[in-house]
């Protein structure tokens, strides 16, 4: 039997807003996205408005979806589809004893496990980089050292004992990076340049320690070690590259951009490259023209909070209005070719990209799943035109440049009056239904009236508004199970959804704690244009009536709020990290694991918690199932340099870092 339900310590609430981030996180990571009206002001309908249309659309979808089963709209409840003789074999049930909710200033892991801090903000990355000196930091040093606020973590294994760790550096917390920092107009040019250099990504070579799941920074040649910053040249590729909307005075060809911004989650491709999503890029710009194509992305008409426009005029949109169009893309990085500029793949659309994860379709085409992390924004998918070729890197590096970009429309199968915003299950026992992927554009033909191919790709949100895409509760990371191909979407929360705006795929209004969506592609083919879906997890306190753990006994599960990143272990258990538990629940963020197949589906356990005021980024489970990589981001972001609230990891001041966690007895992680 699992351990009994967790203690519910009364824990102090840190100053928080919305779903549960610290106020400081909102300001610096998202440009206070939740304090502004949601940028989606389209009259693109909520579920209630489309229900009648959905019924008629059922016949249009035809056998593709109806063949899936016999629900109220002719779509199988996904669980029912799994009850046949070919149902997937469940992954081994996690057997570790859950970490309890806490406010401790450390990474807490289960008994029997050990941990190691691999790399910290300021550690040298490029061979010859200077040692870190927090009191005397320079932009030049930072550009060769590990950047700030680690988010996505990817791992390219070179051989059994060597690998390359890629880490996104999403944003900076200047008030805990610099002594005496006061912000706004008082920021010095050097502080701004350091912050710019602390954005981007790092690639570092690692060595395995003995035959364990522990990895450490390599002391060897490190010829692949690399920093990407806001100054690194990147290329623009795909159908929109070279378009007039991407040209600037600095780059009259519209094909080369300096740097990448606010890189959040990402993915690792079957051909060995990393994908990295530019998310809240809007906050770096100032003086946007008052036009819909800027407003829809939340680009400010006044000065920026970070004041970068005072140091580099390209961030002043009154002078360089197209510069903002050159951010908000998926970036592809080839770790084995340090001389190759990272590439912004325009075919995957421009929005607040959380990340992109690749799954190969049955015929070998590459499929990318992508969330646009904003309240009431959309879920996207890209299907390549060409097929993956094993071992042909040159060919595979072109896969993301041609194909079709889709946006998701989800329809419920329960009557509208049964979805009241409370989270109470409808009479058929599940929040579920069917969906279709609406084609927005191919690389040669736009399917959106009034938009050219390049306009769909550059103004993707505006194009998607016109086709009836479903407004979701902040779609973040998406990941397909390696065991089943089912796709899981983290929907973090949405404090702005009114009860009357609740629909079956987003059934709570307001949605304080978020939920997980499971997508089951038709015929288990990732390239399908129709799918079934259901909500296996409504997050929160399991003692609250509005939570749901796939029907599992809620006295035997752990609390969770604000699901953000998702990952799979080799066997198909779903790992979920969180971004907002301190505010929403009163305890630190963490990393949870939940079986999604078999009789233990919904048995959510807590594997780790992160230090004070950090969010739990990464996470990544190694291919051999022996290591969990976890990236505590913004520890102590509710303090100041002079009065830190976290001193993780070294006891002096907070440093965003990447840790690895492994079982001391050599078991698979989770066991
Ligand atoms: Fe950077 Fe959507 O989290
Ligand atoms: Ca239903
Ligand atoms: Ca995220
Ligand atoms: Ca996050």
């Amino acid at each position: 039997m699992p351990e009994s339900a967790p203690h519910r310590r009364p824990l102090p609430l840190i100053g928080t807003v919305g779903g549960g981030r610290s106020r400081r996180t909102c300001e610096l990571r998202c440009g206070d996205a939740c304090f502004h009206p949601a940028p989606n002001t389209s009259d693109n309908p909520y579920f209630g408005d489309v229900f009648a249309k959905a019924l008629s659309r059922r016949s249009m979808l035809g056998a593709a979806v109806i063949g899936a089963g016999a629900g109220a709209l002719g779509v199988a409840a996904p669980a029912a589809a799994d009850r046949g003789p070919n149902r997937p074999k469940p992954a081994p049930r996690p057997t570790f004893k859950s970490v309890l909710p806490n406010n401790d200033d450390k990474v807490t892991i289960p008994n029997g496990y050990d941990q190691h801090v691999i790399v910290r903000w300021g550690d040298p990355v490029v061979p010859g980089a200077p040692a870190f000196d927090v009191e005397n930091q320079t932009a030049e040093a930072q550009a060769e050292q590990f950047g700030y606020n680690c988010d996505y973590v990817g791992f390219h294994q070179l051989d059994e004992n060597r690998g390359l760790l890629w880490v996104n550096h999403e944003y900076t917390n200047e008030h805990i990076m610099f002594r005496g920092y006061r912000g706004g107009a008082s920021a010095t040019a050097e502080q701004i340049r350091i912050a710019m250099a602390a954005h981007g990504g790092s690639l570092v070579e690692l060595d395995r320690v003995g035959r364990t799941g522990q990895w450490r920074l390599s002391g060897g040649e490190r010829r692949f070690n690399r920093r990407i910053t806001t100054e690194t040249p990147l290329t623009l590729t795909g159908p929109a590259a070279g378009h007039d909307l991407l040209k600037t005075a600095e780059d009259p060809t519209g094909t080369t951009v300096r740097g990448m911004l606010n890189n959040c989650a990402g993915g690792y491709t079957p051909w060995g490259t990393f994908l990295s999503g530019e998310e809240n890029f809007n906050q770096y710009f100032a003086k946007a023209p008052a036009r819909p194509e800027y407003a829809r992305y939340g680009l400010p008409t006044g000065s920026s909070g970070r004041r970068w426009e005072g140091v580099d005029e390209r961030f002043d949109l009154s002078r360089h209005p197209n510069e903002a169009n050159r951010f908000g893309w998926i970036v592809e990085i080839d770790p084995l070719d340090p001389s190759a500029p990272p590439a912004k793949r325009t075919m995957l659309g421009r929005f607040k990209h959380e990340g992109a994860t690749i799954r190969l379709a049955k015929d070998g085409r590459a499929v990318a799943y992508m969330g646009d992390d904003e309240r009431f924004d959309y879920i996207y998918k890209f299907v390549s035109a060409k097929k993956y070729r094993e071992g042909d890197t040159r060919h595979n590096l072109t896969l993301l440049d041609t194909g079709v970009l889709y946006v998701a429309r989800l329809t419920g199968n329960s009557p509208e009056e049964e979805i009241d915003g409370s989270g109470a299950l409808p009479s058929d026992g599940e929040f579920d239904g069917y969906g279709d992927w609406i084609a927005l554009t191919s690389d040669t033909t736009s399917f959106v009236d009034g938009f050219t191919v390049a306009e769909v790709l550059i103004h993707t949100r505006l194009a998607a508004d016109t086709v009836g895409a479903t407004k979701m509760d902040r779609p973040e990371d998406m990941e397909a199970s390696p065991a089943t191909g089912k796709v899981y979407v983290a929907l973090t929360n949405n404090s702005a959804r009114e009860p009357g705006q609740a629909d079956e795929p987003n059934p709570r209004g307001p949605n304080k704690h978020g939920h997980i969506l499971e997508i089951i592609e038709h015929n288990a083919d990732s390239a399908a244009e129709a799918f079934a879906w259901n909500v296996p997890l409504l997050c929160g306190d399991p003692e609250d009536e509005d939570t749901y753990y796939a029907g599992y006994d809620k006295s035997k599960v752990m609390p969770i709020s604000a699901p953000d990143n998702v990952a799979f272990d080799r066997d198909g258990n779903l790992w979920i990290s969180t971004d907002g538990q301190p505010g929403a629940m009163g305890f630190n963020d963490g990393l949870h694991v939940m079986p999604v197949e078999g009789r233990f589906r919904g048995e959510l356990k807590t594997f780790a918690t992160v230090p004070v005021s950090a969010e739990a980024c990464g996470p990544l489970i190694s291919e051999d199932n022996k290591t969990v990589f976890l990236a505590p981001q913004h520890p102590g972001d509710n303090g100041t340099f002079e009065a830190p609230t976290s001193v993780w990891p070294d006891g002096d001041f907070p440093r965003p870092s990447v840790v690895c966690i492994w079982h001391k007895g050599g078991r698979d992680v989770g066991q």
Side-chain angles (χ1 to χ4, degrees), residues 430-494:
E430 276 200 282
F431 297 112
D432 61 346
Y434 66 84
D436 48 327
W437 294 107
I438 306 168
L440 295 173
T441 189
S442 74
D443 48 292
T444 56
T445 307
S446 167
F447 306 120
V448 182
D449 289 344
F451 288 75
T452 65
V453 171
E455 287 166 349
V456 171
L457 297 177
I458 295 167
H459 301 144
T460 307
R461 283 182 165 184
L462 290 170
D465 287 343
T466 70
V467 300
T470 300
K471 295 172 173 171
M472 304 299 292
D473 288 346
R474 295 188 53 206
E476 298 226 34
D477 202 7
M478 301 176 68
E479 190 92 27
S481 163
T484 66
K486 295 176 188 173
V487 178
Y488 296 79
V489 188
L491 295 148
T492 289
N493 53 39
N494 186 349

Side-chain angles (χ1 to χ4, degrees), residues 21 29 151 170 262 264 279-280 354 373 474 476 564 579:
R21 283 179 181 153
R29 199 255 310 288
D151 202 296
E170 187 178 20
N262 209 259
C264 186
E279 193 189 20
N280 293 290
E354 175 74 12
D373 179 10
R474 295 188 53 206
E476 298 226 34
D564 183 348
D579 174 16

